[in-house]
């Protein structure tokens, strides 16, 4: 039981369960999934679909954060991606042709990849601090997206493209299949190869990693590129969702949601050890949270308040201090009677453990 | 971002041994100053009525609240932290001010309350960050949501301020020829002076720098790390509250959606002013210059007058880039 | 000398500290008297630093009492301890490099005027303290602009500010050279004579014998005993520390003596006119298989920078390098690694350990980086490799999954060494590999170096301990003022000869 | 054009070109884009204008800043669409002191002093809401319809007024609003909120969206839930931008009340009058039409936006 309690996914999963239970109490049929025309329908399915773009962005964000970085530009990249794809489809004489759609997707992804390359260049080659380097694209990127759409909300009708938003594959929403599929592949690659460890080493001590022959710079560059690419993919899903490219609003604040997903999942923003499974749960928590607000009929006015409370609760419960409390209780049970219980349990804040990183982090 | 500075190689150290008269720590600020001057010159030659006392006065009048936010942010960033909540806290303070004034409370009661709201939120951040070791980015992100939620709870709609005493305070202006100085500019300048004095002439201020230089070291040196860190967030929160007051004076209203993204402006200003996000180096005066640079970018864009909204965004991005690159070049030449 | 009559100023009884599952200290007694220099001895990980941290309130003991001046106390942290006259310079010298020297010395005790800091007085007082330490540096210069040695002395200077009854120095000499050590000892003796009680940790036995009055030996977190320095022969001390006799040391000597410098035809690595502007003047050097080349020089003479050019850590801007006769460019560490050249930096914290990763991950890091991320080492191979090095180098705790940051300084060093040995290098450049390492482990490392050379590896060995360099090297390159000034045969060389060369007195 | 000399009276300058500083809210909706285009296409050099345009990116501080800058630049006329209603007195007073007339477009300001601006050109948002509500009551009263509302940006005048208008118009009928949340005037949020509504309520009959964009988002959500928008769930929106009209013509929306974004010509007209010293009306309400599906099919080919 105690090991369960100390597992790094315990609190995020608990948060998810609490949210689902709350929804089910408010609405007993909440978890019901029905099959129609061989497709699954229902709130859980909706949640999977709405999680999809966030999951992709959070995936890239996790890798970037592992290298001690952060990518604030993902929201803008989402907007650019939709703008490029939909402008291409809209300007083509035959929006329903798969070739048009594939070209549009390819164009968008390549451009977003390049935007990622740009971020990576600023960070890894020019050595600009990530938060500022990506702030540049965060600002300019939306401008670029508007430039592409000429400030209009570009809308299209294209059956093959619409599949990305509301189509079904294998009975599940195509967007969810795509996002979870990409996530699984990346997670597999990162953890089954040495990539994860090398990223962590880069994030913890770039100088030592370089001397050990780790291509720190290339790795750093790569994660920003990946983040751009995943954000681009997310942008396609988001624009296909409404079949509109809204340069101003598409992906607005998604960077914050993604960072929150990463943090709720137990990855420290100070880089190093990261948990992709945590990010997955984190993204689900956020998507479910948004849904909960509507289902519980919580006034939209207090939505941010509700968000804040959940975030504070999860992060406090996950904080080193709270974990020590749990450890301390265990230790007290373990220590023989008569021995003096520790004054301040475990290492005090002044212990040699670096307070910015969580030593108990476990990787996925 | 609680990242620690990259390990210093022995070579970097030798570079610093070169004899120089001007302290290298001032170089980034100087760089910002040079760029600011350049922008003024370019603007002055390009547009009519640009290099006028009215425009320069406006620069300060329009950005007084941002200056106050940036000073608070400087404290936090110097400790190696960050405060994402300041935009929302500013909004909260405007809403509290407007709502309480509307309810008929006297200005003398309302002003301290509005500022205090920021102080309390700052304190909460400090406690979360220091005692629960929640990362600053996350703690203040939660604070950002919290403050915004409170805004909506108090009043979703924008509330006008008609209180005569408040209006009088807001419209107080001192005119020197073409130059104008409003009460908010005066307050902002006082805050800057205070910030400077506290950072350079108190133990608290020096401990802020020490923590940024290495929290672990500061602890082992026996410095009051806990108190100082918490206090830095209290300062930032308080100044955000005060910033809200200035903003309420500026807009004569309280609105829950105000200041969205303003924290990024404040952070950008601090960074442009030469403060490192890793903590330990930087100056309040640099942050003030950073705010002026951002303000001047806006001014230039309005003077240009033909930019569609997308070009506005792209131009801001490009200018930010040029700025960061310039600073980078400057700091590379240092070693 | 020792004033056994005076009551102890610090008295610890039955102190235990735990980092589950490690018991870092187990019921240790310790006492420190005014006017004595007391050495705390023990192997890496014995619990020396932990004892100090328990005393100064960084770690809270799970059992035991702490008395200072006869009053039972639990300090809440360094500040509290300091307020009661207990000042500490911790092992990880940690001052703030972004502040000036004066601030680092006076921070927290600054003179004030009208409620604000009095900068003039701060600088003046700092200058006074610096002078007392015999340090001639500008108080308003930035601390980061000074060498580690100077920083170390500034840290000590800081510790003596104010009412200092007890001064604790955890390995203060590990980055100092002979002159600076002598200098430090003068200061320490001066303070002792003023009645200050000094607790001193060092792995240099000769230093301990030179300066200490009494010593306390720890082993594996338990107290072995307290001794009067003059009464305890060195061999016995070592036996107390490592819990066995000095066979290892003798074994090392044997291997070294057996090893004969082979007459290789082409050097493994040969460099001609290699140099870098502002760092090291162009130099020639040939490194042969099976040979240990020592680098001797004063602090800042350029040994490290030479080593960095040999290993691609820094890029040379002039000169040529040949590996096994073939021209090559050592552009970066990876390029060097392709030629099986390995480098362990002297800056363990900054360029060695990856403290958030485990022992296992740290050991395989270089090997894995070399294979590329696509080809992960099979888990079984990793486990064997890691187990082997933990055993061979005596890494403690012997837990592959322990986070490196929880290991003692010396053990971290061993892990970094293991990382490079795992890559099976042909040329191994070791920059201060024995810094902060206990006698037993130091002997192990020396033996290891000798054995590696005997097996055909080429080793470049840098150490601040000249004696060690002399003992271990087949050949010694001497540096002075960032220039290679001489190359002598290691076997015939005497200490005096090398010292002359280093100091610039002898013929080059 | 812009005068070089210091501080004097500003009026339509000798060269006959009118310098007009316009501060736009942002670019948050399709409506807004059409509005911006209309202004930029009308106030051209050919038409005798020198337009200084700036986008406030939805921030009041940017608008105040821009207006101050226009005053410093000594433009002939200042026009703007205020982000929020309150807080304009100070800066408008500055403009008045500098002798520069101000014209409001689209959204009004909440000020006790009406002399601070010359005129307001825009729609009557309350009326728009009422028109939507009236039509709903006419069509669906007696069916016991359960309606959900997608509100505009919290606190924005069009959101507040349209909500009020709609509510007052359905007051006598048996249409009941069972849920109402903000979709922030955007399509994406309109869709997410609608999805939530569909998860939370079994029986939704009617959607009232404060603009087309949110209505279009709702259509996506309804389709994704396997239902037919316009039939299973009726939809009423406001704006009548092209995409909305198309959906109306396609039968996915049931009724749209127009909110005319083409304010450029009116603005040009009023500006000239103001500068010529003519009396202008304080409040010029643009006439808004409303469309049902048949009307939409008819109007679609000739719509400008
Ligand atoms: N913060 C910590 N968390 C867990 N274990 C720790 C921590 N600090 C020390 N230890 C463990 O306690 C033991 C004693 O370490 P300590 O640092 O006191 O050794 P030391 O005698 O100073 O060694 P060295 O000579 O290498 O500096 C070691 O096994 C170490 O791994
Ligand atoms: N007296 C000094 N004052 C200031 N800086 C110094 C001094 N001595 C050395 N340094 C710095 O320390 C760094 C280390 O010197 P270097 O690597 O050249 O010498 P080394 O022979 O390896 O000495 P070390 O024993 O420190 O490793 C140099 O870059 C130099 O800048
Ligand atoms: O989108 C709209 C909003 O931005 C504008 O202010 O009023 C009309 C609305 O439909
Ligand atoms: Mg130690
Ligand atoms: Mg060296």
């Amino acid at each position: 039981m105690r090991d369960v309690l100390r597992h790094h996914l315990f609190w995020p999963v608990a948060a998810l369960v609490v949210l689902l239970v709350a929804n089910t109490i408010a609405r007993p049929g909440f978890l019901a999934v029905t099959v129609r025309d061989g497709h699954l329908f229902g709130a859980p399915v909706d949640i999977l679909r709405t999680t999809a773009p966030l999951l992709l962005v959070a995936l890239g964000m996790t890798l970037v954060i592992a290298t001690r970085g952060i990518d604030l530009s993902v929201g803008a990249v989402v907007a650019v991606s939709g703008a490029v794809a939909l402008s291409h489809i809209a300007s083509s004489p035959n929006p329903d042709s798969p070739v048009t759609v594939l070209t549009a997707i390819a164009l968008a992804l390549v451009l977003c990849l390049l935007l990622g390359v740009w971020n990576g260049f600023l960070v890894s080659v020019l050595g600009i601090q990530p938060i500022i380097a990506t702030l540049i694209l965060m600002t300019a990127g939306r401008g670029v997206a508007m430039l592409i759409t000429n400030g209009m909300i570009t809308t299209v009708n294209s059956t093959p493209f619409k599949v990305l938003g509301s189509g079904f594959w294998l009975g599940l929403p195509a967007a969810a299949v795509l996002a979870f599929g990409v996530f699984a592949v990346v997670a597999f690659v990162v953890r089954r190869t040495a990539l994860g460890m090398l990223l962590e080493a880069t994030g913890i001590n770039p100088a030592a990693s370089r001397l050990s022959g780790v291509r720190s710079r290339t790795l750093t560059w790569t994660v920003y590129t990946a983040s751009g690419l995943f954000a681009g993919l997310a942008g396609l899903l988001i624009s296909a969702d409404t079949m509109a490219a809204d340069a101003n609003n598409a992906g607005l604040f998604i960077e914050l949601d993604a960072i929150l997903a990463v943090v709720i999942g137990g990855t420290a923003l100070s880089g190093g050890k990261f948990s992709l499974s945590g990010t997955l749960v984190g993204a689900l928590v956020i998507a479910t949270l948004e849904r909960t607000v509507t289902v519980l009929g919580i006034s939209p006015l207090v939505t941010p308040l509700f968000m804040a409370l959940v975030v504070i609760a999860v992060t406090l419960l996950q904080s080193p201090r709270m974990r020590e409390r749990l450890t301390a209780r265990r230790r007290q049970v373990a220590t023989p009677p008569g021995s003096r219980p520790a004054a301040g349990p475990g290492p005090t804040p002044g212990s040699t453990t670096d307070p910015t990183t969580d030593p108990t982090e476990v990787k996925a | 971002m609680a990242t620690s500075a990259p390990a210093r190689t022995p070579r970097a150290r030798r570079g610093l041994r070169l004899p120089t008269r001007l302290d290298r720590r001032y170089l980034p600020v100087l760089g910002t100053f040079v760029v600011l001057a350049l922008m003024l010159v370019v603007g002055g030659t390009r547009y009519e009525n640009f290099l006028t006392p009215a425009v320069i006065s406006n620069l300060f009048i329009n950005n007084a609240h941002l200056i106050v936010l940036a000073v608070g942010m400087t404290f936090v960033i110097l400790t190696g932290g960050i405060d994402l909540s300041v935009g929302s806290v500013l909004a909260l303070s405007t809403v509290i001010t407007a709502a309480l004034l509307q309810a008929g409370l006297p200005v003398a009661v309302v002003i301290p309350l509005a500022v205090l709201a920021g102080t309390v939120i700052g304190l909460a951040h400090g406690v979360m960050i220091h005692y629960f070791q929640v990362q600053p980015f996350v703690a203040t992100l939660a604070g950002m949501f919290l403050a915004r939620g409170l805004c909506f709870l108090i009043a979703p709609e924008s509330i006008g301020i008609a209180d005569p005493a408040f209006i009088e305070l807001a419209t107080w202006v001192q005119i020197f020829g073409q130059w104008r100085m409003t009460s908010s500019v005066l307050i902002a300048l006082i805050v800057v002076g205070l910030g400077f004095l506290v950072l350079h002439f108190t133990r608290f201020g020096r401990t802020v720098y020490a923590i940024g230089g290495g929290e672990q070291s500061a602890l082992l040196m026996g410095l009051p790390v806990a108190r100082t860190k918490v206090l830095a967030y209290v300062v930032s929160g308080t100044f955000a509250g005060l910033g809200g007051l200035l903003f309420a004076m500026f807009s004569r209203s309280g609105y829950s959606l105000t200041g969205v993204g303003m924290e990024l402006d404040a952070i950008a200003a601090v960074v442009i002013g030469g403060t490192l996000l890793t903590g330990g180096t930087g100056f309040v005066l640099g942050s003030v210059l950073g705010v002026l640079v951002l303000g001047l970018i806006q001014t230039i864009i309005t003077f240009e007058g033909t930019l569609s909204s997308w070009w506005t965004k792209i131009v801001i991005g490009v200018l930010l880039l040029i700025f960061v690159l310039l600073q980078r070049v400057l700091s590379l030449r240092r070693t | 000398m020792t004033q056994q009559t005076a009551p102890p100023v610090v008295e610890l009884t039955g102190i235990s500290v735990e980092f589950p599952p490690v018991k870092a200290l187990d019921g240790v007694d310790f006492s420190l008297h005014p006017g004595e220099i007391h050495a705390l001895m023990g192997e890496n990980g014995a619990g020396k630093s932990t004892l100090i941290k328990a005393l100064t309130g960084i770690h809270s003991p799970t059992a035991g009492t702490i008395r200072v001046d006869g009053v039972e106390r639990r300090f809440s942290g360094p500040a509290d301890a300091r307020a009661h006259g207990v000042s500490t310079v911790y092992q990880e010298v940690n001052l703030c490099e972004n502040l000036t020297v004066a601030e680092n010395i006076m921070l927290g005790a600054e003179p004030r005027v009208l409620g604000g800091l009095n900068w003039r007085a701060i600088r003046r007082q700092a200058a006074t303290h610096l002078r007392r330490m015999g340090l001639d540096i500008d108080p308003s210069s930035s601390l980061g602009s000074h060498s580690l040695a100077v920083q170390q002395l500034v840290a000590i200077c800081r510790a003596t500010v104010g009412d200092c009854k007890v001064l604790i120095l955890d390995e203060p000499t590990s980055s100092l050279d002979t002159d600076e050590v002598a200098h430090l000892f003068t200061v320490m003796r001066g303070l002792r004579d003023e009645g200050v009680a000094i607790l001193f940790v060092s792995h240099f036995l000769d230093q301990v014998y030179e300066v200490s009055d009494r010593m306390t030996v720890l082993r594996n977190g338990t107290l072995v005993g307290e001794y009067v320095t003059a009464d305890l022969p060195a061999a016995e001390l070592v036996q107390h520390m490592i819990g066995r006799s000095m066979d290892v040391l003798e074994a090392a000597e044997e291997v070294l003596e057996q090893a004969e410098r082979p007459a290789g035809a082409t050097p493994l690595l040969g460099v001609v006119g290699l140099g870098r502007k502002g760092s090291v003047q162009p130099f020639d050097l040939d490194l042969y298989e099976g040979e240990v080349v020592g680098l001797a020089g004063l602090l800042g003479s350029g040994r490290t920078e030479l080593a960095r050019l040999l290993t691609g850590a820094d890029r040379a801007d002039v000169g040529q390098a040949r590996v096994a006769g073939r021209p090559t460019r050592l552009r970066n560490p990876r390029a060097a690694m392709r030629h099986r050249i390995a480098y362990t930096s002297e800056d363990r914290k900054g360029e060695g350990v990856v403290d958030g990763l485990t022992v296992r991950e740290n050991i395989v890091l270089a090997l894995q980086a070399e294979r590329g991320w696509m080809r992960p080492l099979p888990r079984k191979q990793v486990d064997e490799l890691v187990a082997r090095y933990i055993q061979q180098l005596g890494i403690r705790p012997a837990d592959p999954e322990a986070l490196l940051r929880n290991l003692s300084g010396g053990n971290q060093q061993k892990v970094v060494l293991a990382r490079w040995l795992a890559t099976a290098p042909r040329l191994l450049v070791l920059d201060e590999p024995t810094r902060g390492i206990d006698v037993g482990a130091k002997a192990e490392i020396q033996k290891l170096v000798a054995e590696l050379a005997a097996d055909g590896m080429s080793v470049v060995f840098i150490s601040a301990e000249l004696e060690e360099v002399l003992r271990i090297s087949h050949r010694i390159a001497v540096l002075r003022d960032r220039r290679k000034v001489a190359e002598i045969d290691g076997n015939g060389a005497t200490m005096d000869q090398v010292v002359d060369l280093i100091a610039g007195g002898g013929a080059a | 054009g812009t005068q070089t000399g210091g501080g004097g009276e500003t009026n339509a300058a000798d060269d006959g070109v009118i310098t007009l500083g316009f501060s736009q809210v942002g670019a948050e909706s399709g409506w807004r884009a059409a509005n911006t285009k209309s202004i930029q296409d009308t106030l051209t050099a050919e038409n005798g204008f020198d337009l200084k345009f700036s986008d406030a990116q939805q921030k009041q501080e940017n608008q105040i800043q821009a207006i101050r800058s226009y005053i410093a630049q000594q433009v002939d006329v200042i026009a703007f669409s205020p982000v929020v209603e309150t807080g304009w007195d100070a800066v408008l007073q500055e403009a008045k002191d500098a002798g520069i007339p101000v014209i409001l477009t689209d959204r009004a300001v909440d000020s006790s002093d009406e002399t601070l601006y010359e005129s307001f050109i825009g729609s009557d948002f309350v009326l728009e809401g009422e028109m939507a509500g009236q039509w709903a009551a006419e069509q669906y009263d007696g069916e016991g319809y359960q309606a959900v509302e997608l509100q505009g940006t919290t606190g924005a005048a069009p959101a507040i007024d349209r909500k009020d208008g709609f509510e007052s118009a359905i007051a006598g009928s048996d249409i009941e609003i069972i849920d109402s949340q903000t979709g922030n005037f955007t399509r994406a949020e309109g869709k997410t909120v609608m999805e939530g509504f569909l998860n939370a309520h079994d029986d939704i009959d009617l959607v009232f969206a404060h603009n087309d964009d949110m209505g279009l988002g709702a259509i996506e959500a309804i389709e994704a839930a396997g239902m037919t928008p316009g039939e299973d769930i009726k939809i009423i929106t406001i704006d009548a931008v092209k995409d909305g009209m198309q959906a109306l013509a396609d039968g996915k929306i049931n009724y749209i009340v127009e909110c005319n974004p083409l304010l450029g010509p009116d603005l040009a007209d009023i500006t000239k009058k103001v500068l010529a010293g003519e009396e202008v009306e304080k409040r010029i309400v643009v006439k808004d039409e409303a469309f049902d599906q048949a009307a939409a099919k008819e109007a679609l080919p000739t719509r400008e936006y």
Side-chain angles (χ1 to χ4, degrees), chain B residues 9-15 17, chain C residues 145-150 175 177 180 279-280 296-306 308 346 431-432 435 462-464 479 482:
Chain B
T9 65
R11 276 154 304 113
R13 236 173 251 150
R14 193 192 44 256
R17 236 176 1 166
Chain C
S145 68
H146 296 284
S147 67
L148 264 180
V150 171
S175 50
D177 70 13
E180 284 158 329
S279 146
V280 166
L298 291 177
L299 199 73
S301 58
R303 293 166 299 177
T304 296
E305 313 206 329
L306 186 150
R308 292 179 71 93
E346 63 179 339
D431 196 352
E432 305 281 8
R435 180 184 289 172
I462 305 176
S463 169
L479 281 94
R482 302 175 182 280

Side-chain angles (χ1 to χ4, degrees), chain C residues 91-290:
Chain C
Q91 182 172 6
E92 319 84 67
V93 196
N94 277 319
L95 293 180
C96 294
E97 291 200 358
N98 59 327
L99 302 179
T100 63
V101 170
E103 280 183 90
N104 271 292
I105 293 173
M106 303 301 300
L107 213 58
E110 301 98 329
R112 286 183 279 198
V113 58
L114 299 173
L117 301 183
N118 183 347
W119 281 102
R120 287 184 53 166
I122 289 174
R123 276 192 292 271
R124 206 179 46 237
Q125 292 190 13
T128 314
H129 288 291
L130 285 170
R131 257 198 309 282
R132 197 154 67 107
M133 293 288 293
L135 264 178
D136 182 26
I137 53 173
D138 179 6
S140 39
S141 57
S142 142
L143 183 79
S145 68
H146 296 284
S147 67
L148 264 180
V150 171
Q151 295 190 21
Q152 181 71 267
L153 292 171
V154 171
I156 296 169
C157 194
R158 171 181 172 79
T160 60
V161 171
D163 169 35
C164 168
K165 285 187 296 218
V166 177
L167 177 62
I168 302 174
L169 305 172
D170 194 355
E171 296 199 36
T173 55
S174 59
S175 50
L176 303 191
D177 70 13
T178 336
D179 287 348
E180 284 158 329
V181 169
H183 182 91
L184 173 65
F185 285 176
T186 314
V187 174
M188 282 167 66
R189 291 194 188 100
L191 288 168
R192 173 189 62 193
D193 296 343
E194 287 170 25
V196 176
I198 298 177
L199 175 59
F200 171 69
V201 179
S202 171
H203 290 293
F204 299 104
L205 297 193
D206 44 353
Q207 292 179 3
V208 172
Y209 275 99
E210 186 185 335
V211 78
S212 75
D213 305 313
R214 287 196 306 150
M215 50 177 84
T216 293
V217 179
L218 298 179
R219 187 167 69 230
N220 277 337
T222 56
L223 176 70
V224 177
E226 194 191 273
Y227 311 92
V228 173
T229 307
D231 301 345
L232 185 71
E236 224 168 287
L237 168 63
V238 172
Q239 206 161 346
H240 287 316
M241 282 165 62
I242 63 179
R244 58 204 142 97
S245 66
M246 284 288 287
D247 304 347
V248 228
L249 284 178
E250 280 143 33
E253 294 283 0
E254 256 167 54
V255 182
L256 283 162
E257 251 139 57
Q258 281 164 13
E260 260 307 301
R261 178 192 161 171
T266 35
L268 180 66
L269 173 65
V271 301
V272 181
L274 204 67
R276 183 181 158 98
K277 224 173 131 228
S279 146
V280 166
Q281 306 265 353
F283 64 93
D284 301 345
L285 188 63
D286 287 337
L287 302 168
Y288 294 91
E289 284 184 359

